[in-house]
Amino acid sequence: MGSLFRSEEMSLCQLFLQSEAAYACVSELGELGVVQFRDLNPDVNAFQRKFVNEVRRCAEMERKLRFLEKEIKKDEIPTLDAGDNPDAPAPREMIDLEATFEKLENEMKEVNANAEALKRNFLELTELKHILRKTQNFFEEEEHSIVDDAQHALGVDDSRPIASQAQPLQLGFVAGVILRERIPAFERMLWRVCRGNVFLKQAEIESPLEDPVTGDQVNKSVFIIFFQGDQLKSRVKKICEGFRATLYPCPETPAERREMAIGVMTRIEDLNTVLGQTQDHRHRVLVAAAKNITVWFIKVRKIKAIYHTLNLFNLDVTSKCLIAECWAPVVELDKIQLGLRRGTERSGSSVPSVLNRMETSEEPPTYFKTNKFTSAFQAIINAYGMANYREVNPAPYAIITFPFLFSVMFGDAGHGLIMFLFGLWMVVREKQLLTVKDAGEIWDTFFGGRYIILLMGLFSIYSGLLYNDAFSKSFNIFGSSWRVTDDFPIYGPNKSTIISHIQLSPNSTAFQGDVYPFGLDPVWQLSGNKIAYTNSYKMKLSIILGVSQMLFGVILSTFNHRYFKNTLNLFCEFLPQVLFLLCMFGYLVMLVFYKWIYFSAIERNSNCAPSLLIGLINMFLFTYPKAPCSSHTFYPGQQAVQTLLVVMAVLCLPWMLLVKPFILRWQAQRKIGGSMHHRSTRQVPKVTNINGDADDAAEEVVHHDDVDIIHIHKEKEEEFQFGEVMIHSAIHTIEYCLGTISHTASYLRLWALSLAHAQLSEVLWTMLFRIGLSMNGYHGSIIIAGVFFAWACCTIGILLLMEGLSAFLHTLRLHWVEFQSKFYTGAGYAFQAFSFAQIMEFKTDD
């Protein structure tokens, strides 16, 4: 947990790896996952690097595995995932893997091609079977009715001469199959092109047919078209071709049609047998592949990651050694040394790998070591911006402040209990839920923040008990401090005053003077002035919490100044910022506590208690009127104290604005004069190490725990620009001073959202649940069940999800802007370790 307060100390290291041992060493470092490699070939094209052919081979193997995975999913075959994590295979094993994948891919392609051809033949025979059956029905319905219909449709006159009637009318016809949804357009096109000189008869195929290419189920219809003449026959065939209708030969005589149907049925049975055998063979191949495909994916991705990393390395002059540079946590250097030693031994190399620590002025990456509990809170902070190297991390403090501020806005013990139970369920069933894949982005977000939800629910229960609010109702646990007396306004003059209109006043004999032990007295739930009472309390509480958190943020900035040995910022930033905040709003918080303690409705008239808002305004206007009583001072000598505080706050402005730029200019001028004198007397060049100490050698190697430290020259410092520093100081001064006022007002959202949540909860209870409770008899029981369902759905959907999301976003804003702006820069860059575990979490794109 100690490393969570600050990022891990990082070191820039240089690796010297023998060519034959480089693969194994990088594999060991990938298993450790504590090293971030730098690209030493930024100007080299990706296709011109040393191991580009190996990367291409891995990409090809991945493509074949994705093809097999697609076929496995198509057949709904479960893949075996035992959670194994095999080591990266040796380079020579790539040939065996490639041969295995090539054989499986060719076999699957051949099986798929044969199956597609068989399915296409099966579809054609099935369609021909339906054509023969349907056309036979057409002709057998009434032996000559269909011909008579066709003659009538084609305009053949029955009143022809008897000699001409003796000659039979020769009508041609074509039969085929077409998609059912194309039938209406097909009919219209036939009518328009053939000018009504064709007769169409169609019937639907009851069972859907399988498309041999896509595997989808399609609905088709059988049709038969009668026409007269070769010209119409040509037109009909072209139209059928345009609508992608399939035409089949159909004999004219019933005997020939019956004979063809028998042959078709025999061929269909043979095809069914062959198709079944093909599917069985395909299934056996895919089942065997499904047992190993997960392990194969892991192996191939590890190989690809290793070669991709090796492309970042540089070759030495002899081409026998690979040189790499990487960032690594200092506490993990021993593990890295052991990993390199294991990799060297596994490769059989006789030359050990070398790890040198290098000192540089480049800012290292930021790395926080987190666990499953702290990772969600760290992710919230990182979403705003990655912390600078070794900067104070807000995440440990957000573990407490984030759920607490959320609960202030969401304070309801009932809603908090539901949220707590939901988070507890996810935490208890964590291992089982981790195995759930592809559950959706929303579920992944909830499950990733399960510990945040757990704490937010727990803190909301506490705040709800403090507000004495559970589903908009209060609990009378300790007994109310109010009693019914003569001046307790239960009834009006006509004995019909509604209880909710009671106006409670602590200055009456109904109040016994005892303080309710914990939270609000439940009698306020019946009071008509409940909102006025709770608003005053929550508004002051919001200011107290806001000023306290901002002050804590300013105090945290001192840890940054002290760690980076920036004494000037302590004097020129921290001190005036603290004074400015305390003189203005720290004093306001003190007045709030003073008013709570000193003024009492029992001992004095609370209506004439001085107003905090008017007093704060008068403080900056230097006006202290005698009337009304709300403008009176709180204590003797208040005018002198407030005048002193305002003067101190005003003096903090030039302190923050001018002191630091002029001191920096004076230091820069002294440095320029000293460097000119130093250059005139210096004989031996010196190098500055990371601690600011001067070394006498231009380059030095220091052995420490078998790790070499190489000192590298710092880059030339930029020339001091007084104008830029002055503008920067002015911006930060204005931002802090205006931000202090606006941020304090921003914390009033704690009061506003708490009020909105409480009122929405009360509205839902009054307008829904109370309807069922107000009914008597058996029908009331039935109605209350339905009303309860509606009330529960609205409570979960509106108050828990929508209001909870709103309170979460406002809490996020308070931490990102109001709190972190006081000490957190967030301009660093994340440590992206070369880790097989992280690579396995993400699937490669198809």
Side-chain angles (χ1 to χ4, degrees), residues 226-417:
F226 292 91
F227 51 82
Q228 187 178 14
D230 294 337
Q231 186 176 5
L232 284 179
K233 179 179 180 180
S234 175
R235 291 182 182 180
V236 168
K237 286 186 174 181
K238 287 183 179 179
I239 294 173
C240 293
E241 182 181 354
F243 279 87
R244 296 185 180 181
T246 307
L247 299 179
Y248 291 95
C250 183
E252 296 183 0
T253 64
E256 291 177 349
R257 286 196 295 269
R258 194 174 297 109
E259 182 180 355
M260 180 179 285
I262 295 173
V264 167
M265 293 301 296
T266 304
R267 291 176 61 187
I268 287 177
E269 291 177 1
D270 296 339
L271 271 179
N272 275 327
T273 304
V274 177
L275 270 173
Q277 294 174 352
T278 304
Q279 290 296 334
D280 291 341
H281 175 66
R282 168 190 167 89
H283 187 77
R284 286 194 299 270
V285 173
L286 291 178
V287 167
K291 295 178 181 178
N292 301 313
I293 193 167
T294 303
V295 175
W296 287 340
F297 262 121
I298 295 175
K299 287 183 177 181
V300 171
R301 286 170 180 167
K302 285 187 176 182
I303 298 172
K304 185 179 180 181
I306 291 172
Y307 281 116
H308 177 74
T309 303
L310 289 174
N311 276 333
L312 305 178
F313 296 178
N314 209 346
L315 282 172
D316 68 340
V317 180
T318 61
S319 297
K320 296 181 180 179
C321 178
L322 289 173
I323 304 173
E325 290 183 5
C326 62
W327 292 106
V330 174
V331 295
E332 304 288 353
L333 290 179
D334 291 338
K335 290 184 180 180
I336 296 172
Q337 286 279 31
L338 292 175
L340 293 176
R341 191 175 297 118
R342 286 195 303 267
T344 304
E345 294 173 355
R346 197 175 73 179
S347 64
S349 176
S350 57
V351 181
S353 302
V354 180
L355 172 65
N356 295 331
R357 288 182 61 185
M358 306 187 335
E359 290 193 357
T360 176
S361 60
E362 183 180 349
E363 183 177 0
T366 303
Y367 171 56
F368 294 104
K369 190 179 293 185
T370 58
N371 52 38
K372 61 183 180 181
F373 176 73
T374 59
S375 59
F377 293 96
Q378 188 64 57
I380 289 176
I381 303 302
N382 294 345
Y384 173 77
M386 182 57 63
N388 288 10
Y389 176 65
R390 303 293 288 170
E391 185 180 27
V392 170
N393 184 22
Y397 315 105
I399 293 175
I400 299 299
T401 60
F402 192 92
F404 176 70
L405 291 184
F406 173 86
S407 70
V408 173
M409 294 180 277
F410 195 76
D412 189 292
H415 302 156
L417 180 62

Side-chain angles (χ1 to χ4, degrees), residues 491-780:
Y491 301 108
N494 54 358
K495 305 295 183 180
S496 62
T497 304
I498 302 175
I499 293 180
S500 60
H501 291 166
I502 295 174
Q503 299 292 318
L504 295 181
S505 173
N507 199 17
S508 66
T509 58
F511 181 59
Q512 302 299 307
D514 299 327
V515 179
Y516 196 71
F518 184 81
L520 292 179
D521 195 304
V523 75
W524 287 101
Q525 185 70 25
L526 308 174
S527 173
N529 57 340
K530 170 191 172 183
I531 295 180
Y533 174 74
T534 55
N535 276 358
S536 176
Y537 163 68
K538 292 180 179 180
M539 191 184 303
K540 295 180 177 67
L541 184 64
S542 300
I543 297 297
I544 294 171
L545 294 176
V547 174
S548 301
Q549 190 178 34
M550 289 192 296
L551 181 62
F552 179 61
V554 177
I555 293 173
L556 285 179
S557 66
T558 60
F559 293 96
N560 285 331
H561 302 328
R562 291 179 61 187
Y563 179 82
F564 295 112
K565 299 179 180 179
N566 199 336
T567 310
L568 183 61
N569 284 350
L570 279 173
F571 177 74
C572 298
E573 291 184 5
F574 169 69
L575 286 179
Q577 287 177 358
V578 168
L579 283 175
F580 185 82
L581 180 60
L582 291 178
C583 289
M584 294 182 63
F585 298 105
Y587 177 71
L588 176 62
V589 171
M590 186 204 72
L591 289 181
V592 170
F593 283 104
Y594 183 88
K595 186 174 182 180
W596 278 347
I597 297 172
Y598 187 71
F599 290 90
S600 172
I602 299 176
E603 299 176 358
R604 60 182 70 236
N605 189 359
S606 60
N607 293 327
C608 283
S611 170
L612 292 170
L613 180 60
I614 295 176
L616 187 66
I617 295 173
N618 292 337
M619 173 180 170
F620 291 97
L621 295 178
F622 299 104
T623 57
Y624 299 92
K626 301 298 182 181
C629 58
S630 58
S631 300
H632 291 176
T633 57
F634 286 87
Y635 56 89
Q638 180 179 345
Q639 182 175 355
V641 172
Q642 293 186 167
T643 302
L644 177 63
L645 292 176
V646 172
V647 172
M648 290 177 62
V650 172
L651 290 178
C652 289
L653 300 179
W655 189 353
M656 288 185 283
L657 176 64
L658 302 174
V659 175
K660 182 178 177 180
F662 281 98
I663 292 179
L664 288 176
R665 187 178 71 168
W666 174 72
Q667 290 179 348
Q669 291 174 348
R670 284 190 59 190
K671 190 173 182 179
I672 293 173
S675 61
M676 293 178 62
H677 175 72
H678 181 65
R679 283 198 298 268
S680 64
T681 58
R682 185 178 61 177
Q683 299 296 332
V684 181
K686 293 187 178 182
V687 179
T688 304
N689 62 19
I690 199 168
N691 295 321
D693 302 325
D695 299 322
D696 292 332
E699 186 172 296
E700 178 185 19
V701 178
V702 179
H703 295 278
H704 177 67
D705 295 336
D706 297 330
V707 181
D708 295 337
I709 301 178
I710 300 178
H711 300 278
I712 301 178
H713 289 283
K714 282 188 176 181
E715 297 180 0
K716 184 179 178 181
E717 295 184 1
E718 296 182 1
E719 183 180 355
F720 178 78
Q721 297 289 340
F722 178 74
E724 293 183 3
V725 174
M726 194 66 192
I727 293 174
H728 185 268
S729 178
I731 292 174
H732 278 271
T733 301
I734 296 172
E735 180 184 8
Y736 180 80
C737 295
L738 295 181
T740 301
I741 302 172
S742 64
H743 292 173
T744 304
S746 179
Y747 275 96
L748 290 174
R749 71 183 69 232
L750 297 173
W751 152 64
L753 265 77
S754 175
L755 172 65
H757 187 85
Q759 290 302 112
L760 275 175
S761 180
E762 187 172 351
V763 166
L764 281 182
W765 181 276
T766 304
M767 300 189 66
L768 284 177
F769 205 69
R770 201 171 68 177
I771 296 176
L773 294 176
S774 61
M775 294 186 178
N776 300 321
Y778 294 105
H779 63 279

Side-chain angles (χ1 to χ4, degrees), residues 481-492:
S481 299
W482 295 72
R483 298 292 182 269
V484 178
T485 58
D486 294 337
D487 59 347
F488 192 79
I490 295 180
Y491 301 108

Side-chain angles (χ1 to χ4, degrees), residues 440-487:
E441 186 177 354
I442 296 178
W443 167 253
D444 292 340
T445 303
F446 278 117
F447 184 71
R450 57 194 178 277
Y451 288 99
I452 299 179
I453 295 175
L454 180 73
L455 289 182
M456 290 193 304
L458 185 62
F459 278 75
S460 295
I461 294 175
Y462 168 77
S463 296
L465 295 176
L466 198 64
Y467 297 156
N468 204 349
D469 193 359
F471 300 115
S472 78
K473 296 300 163 187
S474 298
F475 297 106
N476 190 6
I477 301 175
F478 304 103
S480 175
S481 299
W482 295 72
R483 298 292 182 269
V484 178
T485 58
D486 294 337
D487 59 347

